[in-house]
Structure formats: C-alpha cells, structure tokens
Amino acid sequence: MAAPYRGLILDFGGVLTTRMRLNGHAFERSEGLEPGEYFAALNENPEGIAIYAALEVGKATQEDWNRVIGGILGVDPTNLMQRALANLHPEPQIVAAAKRARAAGIRVAMLSNSFGIEPYNPYADKGMWTNLFDAVILSELEGVRKPSLAIYERALEALELTGPECVFVDDHAENLPPAETLGIRTIHHTTDPAGTAAILDSLLLDPTPA
C-alpha cells in the first residue's frame, strides 16, 4: 500500500541543521563571551527580543539585527549573523531523509522563522536553498512567523496539498499545535536525528517492494 502522505514540511534551524544551542555555545567561545551571554541577549534582553521578532517578520533588516545584538554583546556588528551561525551545519541524516522522500515523489518544503537573507543568506550558505525543496516559506517574506496559523496555511498552499496529506517536523514543541489544527501530522524533533529520520522513512516511503 502506498504511503498516505504526499508532503513533508521541515523546519531549518535545529531540524535540517545541527542543534541551535550547540551553535550558540560555539559562537560564545569564538567571540570571547561569557557562557549564556548570547542566549540572554536573544531571549532576555528586551531590545534583543524585539529586534529578533522584527527581523523574523521583515520589519527589521539583518543589518539592524547585527547592529542591535552587536551593541548588546559589545562585539563588532560586521557580518554578525554570519559569525553567529558559523557553527551551524546541515544535519546529514535529516537532509538524507528529505532527499529520499523527494525522490519517492513527496513534495518537500522548508518552513523557517527567518534569520534574514541579505546580506548573508544562511540557507544558501548551508546548501539548503531552493534547489533542495519544492517550496521555501520564510517568515521574513510572509510577514508572519511560527506559530501563527497563517504561515502553515501558506506552506500548504505552496505545496498545493491539504493538511492531512502532510508531515511537519520542528524542534520547538510550541510550533506543532497550530499545524495539528490543520490536520498535519507532526513530529517533535529533539536530539536524535537518526530516530526522526527513521520515523520519516516509515511515514513517507512505500514499504512495498517494486
């Protein structure tokens, strides 16, 4: 029997890539920051929280983010986003699972709360841009971010599929319920890429021999 799903929607940071927190720790070391200082700038400092939220929906530029976060941390803002993501790498087992799914006829989309794409495009830099997917949905370009229901609806529109035809993978649990309300099958990816890849294979690949 053929697999019941026709679409796969994947988050970028922490799913298609290695873990964001490990990347952040490496950035702190490379910039000579105290442990946890970068995360505090992003998640606790009001200016840091505001500029990231604005960047994600296209109301601030990546260079705005570089300037504000660089100021909070007291580091050179030049190409800061590129430096901040320097230790983020493709997660090979998830990327391979996505390629297997696409080769089997599954439509594959990337859905990301954006890091900005100018002047530095992290998606292209990590080898995960439009050539790897049938659709790319970035919050910066859509003007809305996860977990807003609208961005999941736009992902479905881009794939030309319905919710029950799709599987969505994200490493943040709070991003899953809105997708579920649309009938999308969700997977919470944690720290086991091999396990997540195996689940995707089981859901998306036809087990019937040719």
Side-chain angles (χ1 to χ4, degrees):
M1 183 177 68
Y5 298 104
R6 299 176 58 206
L8 172 61
I9 305 169
L10 295 161
D11 175 44
F12 174 69
V15 175
L16 281 161
T17 74
T18 48
R19 294 167 60 193
M20 293 297 299
R21 182 155 289 274
L22 296 179
N23 170 78
H25 290 320
F27 171 68
E28 289 175 337
R29 292 191 296 271
S30 70
E31 297 288 328
L33 301 170
E34 293 296 321
E37 192 173 356
Y38 176 56
F39 298 101
L42 300 183
N43 302 317
E44 299 174 19
N45 184 289
E47 291 184 6
I49 293 169
I51 195 64
Y52 221 146
L55 173 66
E56 286 183 325
V57 295
K59 293 183 178 179
T61 67
Q62 190 181 88
E63 290 180 321
D64 292 332
W65 184 93
N66 290 344
R67 175 179 49 80
V68 172
I69 299 300
I72 293 169
L73 296 174
V75 301
D76 181 1
T78 307
N79 297 324
L80 184 58
M81 182 65 81
Q82 184 170 2
R83 301 198 328 264
L85 297 178
N87 291 281
L88 195 68
H89 304 291
E91 180 53 72
Q93 295 182 83
I94 303 298
V95 172
K99 289 180 176 178
R100 286 193 295 272
R102 200 173 184 210
I106 302 295
R107 298 179 196 173
V108 180
M110 178 175 68
L111 171 58
S112 176
N113 282 348
S114 184
F115 296 97
I117 54 176
E118 291 182 354
Y120 169 63
N121 185 329
Y123 309 99
D125 183 47
K126 310 301 179 184
M128 287 181 281
W129 196 222
T130 52
N131 61 313
L132 191 62
F133 306 101
D134 298 288
V136 172
I137 302 93
L138 299 181
S139 62
E140 172 189 8
L141 303 180
E142 300 295 334
V144 64
R145 66 186 293 279
K146 294 179 289 184
S148 173
L149 187 67
I151 201 164
Y152 303 94
E153 292 173 331
R154 292 177 192 179
L156 294 176
E157 290 169 4
L159 289 174
E160 300 182 327
L161 296 171
T162 66
E165 292 178 296
C166 293
V167 176
F168 170 55
V169 186
D170 202 289
D171 60 326
H172 291 285
E174 63 269 23
N175 290 335
L176 301 180
E180 291 166 358
T181 68
L182 296 172
I184 299 170
R185 171 72 177 267
T186 63
I187 299 170
H188 183 205
H189 174 66
T190 53
T191 59
D192 180 14
T196 298
I199 294 170
L200 290 176
D201 285 346
S202 71
L203 291 174
L204 301 173
L205 303 185
D206 186 353
T208 305

